[in-house]
Amino acid sequence: MELMLRLEQAFGVHLPEQAVQAAQTPRDLWRTLAAAPRRGAGPAAPAPPPMGGTAPAAPLPQAAQTLVEVLQWHAAQAAARRHVTLLHDGDAGEGGEGGARDDISHASLLAGAQAHAAALQRWGLAPGEKVALMLPTGRAFLEGFFGVLLAGGVPVPMYPPLRMAQIEEHLRRQAHILANAQAVLLLSGEPALPAARILKAGAPELRAVLTPQRLAAMGGRWQPVAGRAQDVALIQYTSGSTGQPKGVVLTHANLLANIRAMGRVLKAGPEDAFVSWLPLYHDMGLIGAWLGSLYHGLPLLLMPPQAFLGRPSRWLRTIAEHRATLTAAPNFAYEIAAHRVPDDELQGLDLRSLRAAMNGAEPVHAGTVERFCERFARFGFDRGALMPVYGLAECGVGLCFPPLRRGPRVDVIDRQALHERGRAEAAPPGRPGTMSVVCCGLPLPGHELRAVGPQGDELPERQEGRLQFRGPSATAGYHRNAEATRALFQHDWLDTGDMGYIAEGEVYLTSRVKDLIKRGGHNLHPYDLEQAVGALPGVRRGCVAVFGAADPTTGSERVVVLAETRLEAPAGRAALRERIAQQAIDVLGSAADDIVLAPPRTVLKTSSGKIRRAACRSLYEQGRLGQQAGRSVAGQLARLWLDAGSRRMRRPFGRLASAGIALWLWLLFGAAAALGTAAALLPGRPLRKRAARAIARAGLRMSGLPLSVQGQPVLQALQQGPWIAVANHASYLDWLLLTAVLPAQACLVAKRELGRHAALRWFLGRMGVKLVEREDVAASVDDAQRLVRAAQAGECLVFFAEGTLTRAPGLRAFHLGAFVAAAQAGVAVVPVALRGTRSVLRDGSWWPRRGPIAVELHAPLRPGGPQWGDAVRLRDQARGLIAASCGEPALG
């Protein structure tokens, strides 16, 4: 972008972004310049119609429990209403090359999502399984995201590769996300297929890499999957600015609470229009821009990120030409607009329609706020529209917003008082030794925020501390990361990982906790120094990292300034070091211990452009800074393929070990069956059942399967009887498990089809298994009465309440037979949750695998009476308890 703007200004031409991005040599650039039209040549593009409507605000889907219900509600209420306009790279008004527009209505989005869902279900996607989306901004992402939800899956957005110069690091981080999420399918666009295939080579749980075109060609019929507010709707991976990305688990209830709260503050409605170039794999673009626009029924004009990066003025011109009222972007975008966009690209710009321009997702700088407001005031921009906001993935996206139309508020404080005493003491503007902190507003309705000290005590106003929050948008934790989840919570408060202070109820951010530099008992904040160094001539703006490195001689931290530069002359580099050293003294009040001048692409960043200071610090301490910048693309790809190849070579050994485990388990199962048959010959049913229990227990011990049994007090109480136990049914292993765990007097209830074979019917009869009819209504009524009499006679019965088992995970509807018997016999129901058996031996598979299994016995439920309604209440209570502890989603 920087190169293109300089060329255009120097030669007075308008360059096509795609040609500049594709250029490999100066000769390619020269040819592009020679063919480029002069600035202002050609007819002006006609102004598009305004996006927002003028009709009175329509009702919102307040009763919706899930995102799927939100989409279905809008498709029913306003099927043809324009929901998203996809604006491709060239559609930019003045200076644009022209481009395609794609209008998407609520009805067309729902239809496309249902087609995706049908194809995903044909691929065997089970409810609760994860699907990674490595797709660029476009119709495929929108339909794919809701297609996953409609199929009962959980979408996991990932960003596609954009810069081949850092392809190795990109794919290693994406491989971490795939492994942590345990994604079973990956949706990828055609251009990213080579990268996706590398990822698949190292992801054994990934069943397939699918493209939108392949899904569209499959066809099929979508089978609706019931969803609940507490179901997981999204796993949003953090940017990883302070370490490996962590998967934030967000339910439908979390997301809708966040979207509704932000809408209340913004007073959003169908008369608004939102313009966004934010990528959909980022929470601000996905939740704040797209899903927020969907819920509130306002049209969204969506640009790919490359449209902004290629020509930043396109963002502003799109707002003006469509008379949009809402937009959002990180601080760097406002800085680029204020500092880099040429004046001639702003001619005729009118920003009077904009009533809320949110600045968030990274630290908001006071200088950027002032420069943007000052430059664009003459284009009709109202200072009151600029809204510095604060949020984090662990709270959906938004946490704090300032009052609407107030404009930015900046607090000037004494830097030394903050560093030494943690006090945000007001100071006169312009006085040396001050720092400007931007206010990010009040917590959203229903949410709370506080600053706490090292011992977790809440601090008074204007005292810097760790920021904590709570509210309905708060995540329950990180996906498969128990350690990070424990660190996230302090009772019911969640740690943001940010430092800041509260003043008049509003939050002021000062630093990330992990970015603080502790030196001489003081806390030094890196951001102001990074901004000051980045403004120096010779330093690449936005490519400066200030961090603390361990100093073993003093026990404190050394201040390191890492700055990218293209300067090569020794004299120029020496002069730049001196200027950086002086800036450190002026800003921090102390000297930097080390100043590292590095080549471009040395400072590591996240997918959203945040500086990864912890990663830079790690490379610095290992002496590897700058090594990643010079690596060829071919070398990076070769290393990735070698890694994937080595994993492929290790897989046969893993399969051999897996085959050995399967053989051993089948030998044990066969031995148990033979011994069980022998036990059936023993005299007396009580002796036979005790022998069967001993055989099952011995077999489980010898299998090596890790077994956990919870509810020992319940188990001891069951020795008395009578009772009826109900369990979920996930595997044929469940019979063995219940026989080993429950008291020997337990009598299993099974379907009559098992008695078709004479030998099996003889064995089941000897073991007291009661067979019941499922198909013949009259026979099933007789069987039900027989079970009631057995329970009244004191027998202990065990039911698989789902009736049968399937390969796909999920707790299915419960039959009423066990609960009718319990209600009429007046005996207690004991809910028993089985967990892990489906993974060990799945229906339709003859390859058992080693894995943990668990049994959890819940306290007995007493029937309220003998009526039908009493049985229904028993069923619902038992299913709720089993659903909460069986480790699988409740279906239907």
Side-chain angles (χ1 to χ4, degrees), residues 429-515:
R431 194 190 78 182
T434 62
M435 61 185 291
S436 298
V437 188
V438 178
C439 174
C440 290
L442 298 157
L444 292 173
H447 297 71
E448 297 177 78
L449 187 74
R450 68 178 185 177
V452 300
Q455 307 305 320
D457 52 316
E458 187 164 357
L459 299 175
E461 285 211 342
R462 291 199 162 271
Q463 186 72 38
E464 184 187 42
R466 295 179 74 116
L467 297 175
Q468 296 179 341
F469 77 97
R470 63 185 179 186
S473 307
T475 178
Y478 300 113
H479 184 59
R480 299 180 63 233
N481 194 335
E483 182 180 353
T485 299
R486 284 192 296 270
L488 177 65
F489 284 88
Q490 182 180 343
H491 305 297
D492 60 339
W493 290 88
L494 287 78
D495 185 12
T496 66
D498 289 311
M499 299 290 290
Y501 61 92
I502 309 293
E504 297 180 357
E506 300 193 61
V507 65
Y508 294 78
L509 300 174
T510 54
S511 177
R512 290 286 294 171
V513 172
K514 292 185 178 180
D515 293 340

Side-chain angles (χ1 to χ4, degrees), residues 74 173 385 598 761 766 786:
H74 280 292
R173 290 167 69 80
R761 183 171 64 250
R766 296 284 290 177
R786 183 164 52 88

Side-chain angles (χ1 to χ4, degrees), residues 464-658:
E464 184 187 42
R466 295 179 74 116
L467 297 175
Q468 296 179 341
F469 77 97
R470 63 185 179 186
S473 307
T475 178
Y478 300 113
H479 184 59
R480 299 180 63 233
N481 194 335
E483 182 180 353
T485 299
R486 284 192 296 270
L488 177 65
F489 284 88
Q490 182 180 343
H491 305 297
D492 60 339
W493 290 88
L494 287 78
D495 185 12
T496 66
D498 289 311
M499 299 290 290
Y501 61 92
I502 309 293
E504 297 180 357
E506 300 193 61
V507 65
Y508 294 78
L509 300 174
T510 54
S511 177
R512 290 286 294 171
V513 172
K514 292 185 178 180
D515 293 340
L516 275 179
I517 304 170
K518 301 182 183 297
R519 182 175 180 179
H522 299 165
N523 290 336
L524 306 182
H525 302 76
Y527 306 132
D528 287 349
L529 181 55
E530 288 174 349
Q531 289 290 302
V533 172
L536 294 174
V539 175
R540 300 185 75 216
R541 183 180 289 271
C543 299
V544 179
V546 176
F547 52 86
D551 188 343
T553 59
T554 64
S556 62
E557 291 187 313
R558 307 173 71 234
V559 177
V560 179
V561 180
L562 170 64
E564 292 184 8
T565 181
R566 288 192 172 89
L567 294 177
E568 296 182 359
R573 292 172 70 89
L576 181 57
R577 285 179 188 275
E578 290 182 5
R579 291 195 295 272
I580 293 174
Q582 187 58 50
Q583 286 286 1
I585 294 172
D586 293 343
V587 174
L588 297 182
S590 62
D593 296 286
D594 195 6
I595 297 171
V596 181
L597 300 182
R601 298 194 304 275
T602 298
V603 175
L604 301 179
K605 297 183 179 181
T606 70
S607 62
S608 54
K610 298 177 184 176
I611 301 295
R612 295 173 57 201
R613 296 175 186 84
C616 292
R617 168 181 173 154
S618 178
L619 290 179
Y620 172 83
E621 293 177 339
Q622 297 172 32
R624 294 173 50 214
L625 270 178
Q627 292 182 13
Q628 75 279 8
R631 296 183 299 190
S632 68
V633 172
Q636 294 180 60
L637 292 175
R639 275 188 293 274
L640 288 167
W641 277 114
L642 284 173
D643 287 350
S646 67
R647 286 193 289 272
R648 276 205 193 103
M649 292 178 64
R650 289 195 297 268
R651 283 182 196 168
F653 297 101
R655 284 196 290 268
L656 185 61
S658 179

